[in-house]
Amino acid sequence: MGTRRTPAPRRSRPRTARVKKPDPWQIQQHPNPEVSIIIPAMNERSTIVDVLWEANQVDPKSEIIVVVNGSTDGTDGLAQLHGAKLLRYPYALGHDVGRRVGAETARGNILLFLDADMRVPAKDLRHFVEAIRQGTDVALNDYSGPVHRLVAHPVVLAKHTLNLMLQRPDLEGASMTAVPHALSRNALYQIGMASLEIPPLAQAIAITRGMNVRRVHQVSAGKLNASRPKIQGTDPLSSLVIGDHLEAVHWLVQHLGPRGGQPDLGRQRDRVRGT
Amino acid sequence: MVRRRKRHNRAGIKARNPRSSHTIKPVKKRRRPAAPRPSAPARGRMVQERTRRLQREESLTRAIQGTVSAIVIACDEEDTLLQVLQQLSRLPLLETIVILNGCTDRSFAIVQEMEDITLLHYPERLGHDVGRSIGASIASGDILLFVDGDVPVPAEELAPFLIAIDQGLDVALNDISPWLPTFDRQDGVTRLKSFLNVAMGHPKLRSNSLTAVPHALSRKAIQTLGCECLSVPPKAQALALFHGLRVGAQSSADVITRNRLRTGNTGIGNSLAALILGDHLEAFDEVMTQGNARLGQTKMVRADLAAMRNA
């Protein structure tokens, strides 16, 4: 045997220290938050970190609460890793219920609601927070949906019509159904936690009880709905949202009377009674 | 040797007349600019218009099995009432019922001059749409046709409503969709009517509603709804859909343009809009009381729906 061309492998070669992964960035949770940012999430691991990043830039005196429900893809782990306040449920809570759950633990006087699947830049979100700070009670997304067509999507129609019934046609199609939007603590109190689960109902209550409800900033949120089997001529989610709007109408007629206080212009109804 | 002229000039275009002395420049064919292709909504409207025209032309020739009562509501419409009644006389009617209320002009005299009309005359105003209930309560036909005294509609455009009921529909609405603008420019009343239809599970009816005339009802519809609710047309609409009556909007009578020409109005006044809003709230109240708050829209538990959608 001659000399080896390559050095013999030395089993006792000291192992070099593995390069440490950098610590994951951490959300700055303020001990006495003025702003509570509430983010319901199910399976959003591809977007949740971006959403948290933007939320973290919105306000220095804020807390971020993520309500992970029925997740199977590790969304909860990611939220926890980056220091979000995590409320975790192993089962799905249902549309909009996560908002209520988050609101119940929120400590700020300004509540900002986001979706976990859409990254909205912090500079857009600040408009909603600032509006509440300046006295608005419900700061809505100024997005009415696609309206330049002969027949609007049933949900777009429902939102516009509810605002009409609430004597607020100026709100066009803006709705608490959509995010982002922000509430004052006062509005939360007036609306009540239970109604927060039914966004159109919450909106009807807020407006009827004299809250300051405004459109403040547009964040385009046109999401495509996958084709699904239909209920009553519409897809199930649309049907749910329309049903929610009908609950709002129901509340309205209970609260304001059968004609909502609108005139009858002197109809002689007793002439036709019993016909 | 005859020198043959070039058949082609420098541009390579075959010269028409090889004997001409000048260079023939290529002739730029000036094409007329193509008419812009109409948009999809406009094309749809054109097809609908053609279909309606064909329907109208053959409508009067078809025989109707059931008997027809025409109900005319009028108040201070002497200019148009005669024309309305003349058009109705071209239809195969069992009876024509005219409800006059609070007239201060010659309407009464005009109706008196015509023969074979059942006239109900009220010196005071009855209020919006009350005349419909009264007329319906005394009508005896199988098919009830409702028209207003202020917009004369040709008999050809009224006949399709009668045919639709005769062929099994319970409520034949006027399809005003061809005259509507896009959603963003639709008024509140149009949106309310659309929302009511969507809420009741009939989005295909779009914004067509018993608020508008002309429309026709079957005897079965009258028996199911009663006459009282006809005074609040959105309520009648909601109840018709609630009770599962067959409601369709298969024909279009242009009352929109005709009315616009007559009055110069392009919209509804504020007080009327408020009335119609109140009517729609009353309609919702009624069907929610008889049914439930969500009106058959999904009761699927929110959690299950979320799980289904986000799995």
Side-chain angles (χ1 to χ4, degrees), chain B residues 98-257:
Chain B
V98 179
I99 318 275
L100 296 176
N101 63 128
C103 292
T104 54
D105 63 357
R106 286 198 61 241
S107 301
F108 183 80
I110 290 168
V111 177
Q112 269 205 311
E113 278 162 27
M114 294 196 69
E115 293 170 354
D116 219 11
I117 291 189
T118 309
L119 169 62
L120 275 75
H121 175 246
Y122 297 82
E124 75 284 10
R125 296 197 79 140
L126 296 171
H128 286 272
D129 311 310
V130 173
R132 299 186 189 184
S133 296
I134 294 175
S137 65
I138 63 166
S140 51
D142 302 319
I143 304 170
L144 280 74
L145 176 68
F146 294 82
V147 297
D148 269 350
D150 58 352
V151 182
V153 177
E156 288 87 352
E157 290 182 25
L158 294 174
F161 294 89
L162 309 181
I163 293 165
I165 302 289
D166 206 41
Q167 291 180 341
L169 218 53
D170 288 311
V171 179
L173 299 173
N174 190 16
D175 182 11
I176 58 165
S177 308
W179 297 284
L180 290 177
T182 49
F183 180 79
D184 55 317
R185 290 179 294 148
Q186 288 175 9
D187 63 3
V189 167
T190 307
R191 292 174 182 181
L192 282 166
K193 295 191 285 185
S194 304
F195 181 61
L196 179 61
N197 288 331
V198 164
M200 298 303 301
H202 293 259
K204 293 214 171 110
L205 289 176
R206 295 169 64 171
S207 67
N208 300 315
S209 161
L210 285 170
T211 49
V213 282
H215 59 258
L217 299 179
S218 66
R219 176 53 48 189
K220 179 181 171 196
I222 297 292
Q223 284 163 352
T224 309
L225 301 173
C227 298
E228 197 176 330
C229 64
L230 300 181
S231 299
V232 185
K235 187 155 78 170
Q237 172 93 354
L239 286 170
L241 295 170
F242 182 76
H243 288 292
L245 292 174
R246 296 172 63 179
V247 181
Q250 297 168 352
S251 43
S252 293
D254 185 2
V255 290
I256 310 268
T257 319

Side-chain angles (χ1 to χ4, degrees), chain A residues 96 149 239 247 259 271, chain B residues 124 183 279 282 294 297:
Chain A
D96 314 310
R149 44 185 75 172
S239 183
E247 288 209 37
R259 288 182 63 79
R271 296 242 184 215
Chain B
E124 75 284 10
F183 180 79
D279 286 358
E282 197 178 327
R294 294 180 78 94
Q297 297 295 336

Side-chain angles (χ1 to χ4, degrees), chain B residues 58-70 85-96 116 141-145 154-156 158-163 166:
Chain B
E58 56 171 61
S59 65
L60 280 183
T61 59
R62 227 178 301 174
I64 292 174
Q65 308 289 339
T67 53
V68 184
S69 302
L85 294 173
Q86 282 168 347
Q87 288 302 323
L88 286 176
S89 65
R90 297 174 57 209
L91 293 169
L93 300 180
L94 169 70
E95 58 186 353
T96 308
D116 219 11
D142 302 319
I143 304 170
L144 280 74
L145 176 68
E156 288 87 352
L158 294 174
F161 294 89
L162 309 181
I163 293 165
D166 206 41

Side-chain angles (χ1 to χ4, degrees), chain A residues 111-178:
Chain A
L111 287 81
L112 175 65
F113 296 89
L114 305 181
D115 267 352
D117 61 355
M118 194 170 69
R119 177 183 200 161
V120 181
K123 68 170 173 55
D124 289 308
L125 298 177
R126 277 185 215 119
H127 289 270
F128 298 91
V129 171
E130 198 48 41
I132 303 294
R133 211 169 252 144
Q134 305 284 348
T136 304
D137 287 305
V138 180
L140 294 175
N141 183 356
D142 182 12
Y143 177 66
S144 290
V147 292
H148 299 292
R149 44 185 75 172
L150 290 174
V151 182
H153 189 278
V155 169
V156 172
L157 173 66
K159 292 176 181 177
H160 280 83
T161 312
L162 181 63
N163 286 334
L164 199 69
M165 291 176 171
L166 294 166
Q167 311 275 60
R168 290 294 306 272
D170 62 294
L171 291 177
E172 295 180 18
S175 166
M176 282 176 67
T177 310

